[in-house]
Structures are given as structure tokens and as C-alpha cells.
Amino acid sequence: MVWRFLMTLMAVAGAGCSQSGNVLLSSDRSDDGNAADHGSDAQTREADGSRMFDTSPDSADLTQRDSAADAGACDCIPGAVETVACGACNSGTQTRECANDCTWSANVCQGEDVGYPVDIVSDDYICPPYSTPAVFFAPHPDDETIGYAATIFDHVAAGRSVFVELMTHGRATGVRTTLGDGGSDPWHPGAHTYTLTPDQIGDARIAEFKQAMASLGVTGIKISDFGDGNLTAAEVGQRVSWWIAHDPGGLSLKGTAGAQDPRIAGGTAHPDHQAVWDALVGSGFGDLRGWL
């Protein structure tokens, strides 16, 4: 076998030669393919026969290596160690070692950055490069459509990379109560008899969000699950900071307009809408826009 022959040669080089300088190498097969008469596998004997050095690796290791080599399945040299990129957009590193069966045995991916946006359908990461990215921050599902849809469409048509960041699943919506209150309205025949849990209505709103963004042709999305009704500027700021750190040039950030965007009777801004605007302004980034 190739591996056994190589291992034997390495052992001879390390062990040195006898006084006469002659070295005999045993082989596991003779010329006609039968078992050889020179002793056990991969042994090195000095010419005078006075000493014998067993340099053979563990037989199980040899069997694994030979089987892999015979099958043409060797991906690496056993014992080799290397560090490679791994994880989302190759943002992490992983140390791996070549096992005796000539395949890589990998450790856990370290330092992976899972902040990259994802494809709406496949959920695969959308990796750089991005073309003058425009990023829209929406506190709840439907804010991106009601507030930004026309601008999103324009940016897509202009050839920019367009991403939408959704901060919550919108579970705290008052619509959930309305749907099960037994009442009626002109837009819907019959009584409201739909009983939904917060998670169910949140899932429904996420599904609608994805459908809307697919219709607008955005490049990718990122869905966070911060608290609906108690979203903080610090939470939104995590995502704002991520984009600023990954700015390839030409980045612009958009969001709800805070105090200028009253959504509660009496002209008070919705606290989640305010949190988005406060995070954008607090970032100190130059290219910001707010929408009502």
C-alpha cells in the first residue's frame, strides 16, 4: 500500500543505518502478491540482524488510511491541522484536523457574525458586496409597507441593495382583540370570532411582512424579536451599529420619524416608533431619513 511504503521509508530515515550501511526493509507483500518472508508489517532490521525496530503505526490506523487511499477518498494528510473560514458569509474561523480516514474533523465555528441579512424565501445569508445599501428600520410588521413602500420601490428600481430590518413581531397589536370581540365592521362580513394567541398573530404578521417585501423586490431582510410596546433605542442601535460597521460606501438609513410620527391619540408618538428614530439619530450617522 502507498501509505505503508511511505511510513516505512520515514522510519528508516529516522532510525539510521547499521555499521555496514546496509538496511533491509520488510514488506507486507512479495513480488507475486503473497505474504513476504521478512517479518511483520513495516519493520526495519539492521543487516546483522542484531536489533529490530517496530516502526509500524497502529494497524487500525493503517487499515483506515489504506481503505481511504484505495477508494480515492483522501481529502487531506492524516495529522494535518489548518484554520479555515466558516459560518455566515465566512465571518468565523474553524480549526480542523485530518483524521486517520483522510477526512477533516472540524471543531465549532468561532467568532461567526450572524448579523447579516437573509433571503426572504431561502433564509440564506445575503453576503457582501452590497451596492450603496439602503436600510429601512420598521418597528412592527406593516410599518415598512405603510410608511416606506414607495421609497423602497424607488430604491430597488434605482439598482441599490435594499434591506428591511424588522424590530418586533408585532404580537401586542390591538387587532388581535378586535378579531375575537364578536363585533363587525364594513370591511368584513359577519362577526369577529377569531381567537388568536399572541404568537399566532405575530406569525401571521411576519408572513404578511415577507410577502410584501417579496412583492417590492428587496434584496434581503433581518427580523429581530425585541419587545413589542417596549422596544428600546439601545436594541435598535445594535442593528444600526452593525450596518455602520459594514458600510461599503453609500449607506443610507431610514426609519419612523419619532415625535413627528404621532400614532397615539393626542399626538404622542408610539414608543416603538420613537425608539427607532432615537437610535438612528443617536448613531451620529450622516445619511438618515425619517418617514411618517
Side-chain angles (χ1 to χ4, degrees):
M1 300 289 186
V2 174
W3 279 110
R4 295 183 182 179
F5 181 66
L6 290 176
M7 292 298 295
T8 302
L9 289 180
M10 292 171 65
V12 170
C17 299
S18 65
Q19 292 179 351
S20 64
N22 296 320
V23 178
L24 299 178
L25 304 180
S26 69
S27 172
D28 61 337
R29 294 190 181 277
S30 62
D31 292 339
D32 62 0
N34 297 322
D37 297 328
H38 303 304
S40 61
D41 288 348
Q43 289 180 333
T44 304
R45 186 195 306 266
E46 290 195 0
D48 61 4
S50 61
R51 288 181 301 196
M52 180 179 292
F53 304 94
D54 185 358
T55 60
S56 60
D58 182 84
S59 60
D61 292 348
L62 283 173
T63 300
Q64 286 183 309
R65 295 178 186 181
D66 290 343
S67 297
D70 290 345
C74 273
D75 296 329
C76 53
I77 299 174
V81 177
E82 68 177 17
T83 299
V84 296
C86 61
C89 300
N90 285 331
S91 57
T93 57
Q94 181 183 69
T95 301
R96 60 183 190 173
E97 181 175 358
C98 187
N100 288 325
D101 61 356
C102 299
T103 59
W104 288 109
S105 177
N107 293 322
V108 175
C109 187
Q110 301 288 337
E112 179 185 12
D113 182 353
V114 295
Y116 292 93
V118 299
D119 182 80
I120 297 172
V121 177
S122 69
D123 212 36
D124 292 334
Y125 287 109
I126 304 295
C127 300
Y130 307 135
S131 176
T132 58
V135 184
F136 293 80
F137 291 83
H140 317 103
D142 76 14
D143 287 326
E144 79 296 326
T145 301
I146 295 172
Y148 322 138
T151 305
I152 289 173
F153 182 82
D154 287 345
H155 284 3
V156 170
R160 298 185 67 175
S161 297
V162 179
F163 302 97
V164 179
E165 291 262 354
L166 183 60
M167 298 292 98
T168 76
H169 288 205
R171 296 186 184 93
T173 176
V175 174
R176 185 174 72 87
T177 301
T178 302
L179 288 174
D181 66 3
S184 62
D185 64 64
W187 292 1
H188 187 278
H192 300 156
T193 57
Y194 302 98
T195 302
L196 298 175
T197 67
D199 282 344
Q200 285 174 329
I201 198 162
D203 290 345
R205 299 189 74 185
I206 292 295
E208 291 176 345
F209 163 77
K210 289 182 176 181
Q211 291 171 357
M213 295 304 94
S215 297
L216 288 172
V218 303
T219 309
I221 60 175
K222 177 69 175 178
I223 301 175
S224 298
D225 192 11
F226 300 125
D228 183 5
N230 55 5
L231 181 66
T232 69
E235 290 170 332
V236 181
Q238 296 173 26
R239 295 304 306 155
V240 173
S241 296
W242 189 93
W243 279 105
I244 293 174
H246 292 76
D247 179 12
L251 173 69
S252 58
L253 305 176
K254 331 281 186 177
T256 45
Q260 300 178 55
D261 180 23
R263 296 297 183 213
I264 298 177
T268 302
H270 190 297
D272 295 347
H273 289 221
Q274 183 71 55
V276 167
W277 184 245
D278 288 347
L280 291 174
V281 173
S283 71
F285 193 71
D287 191 354
L288 304 177
R289 296 290 187 275
W291 270 262
L292 302 178

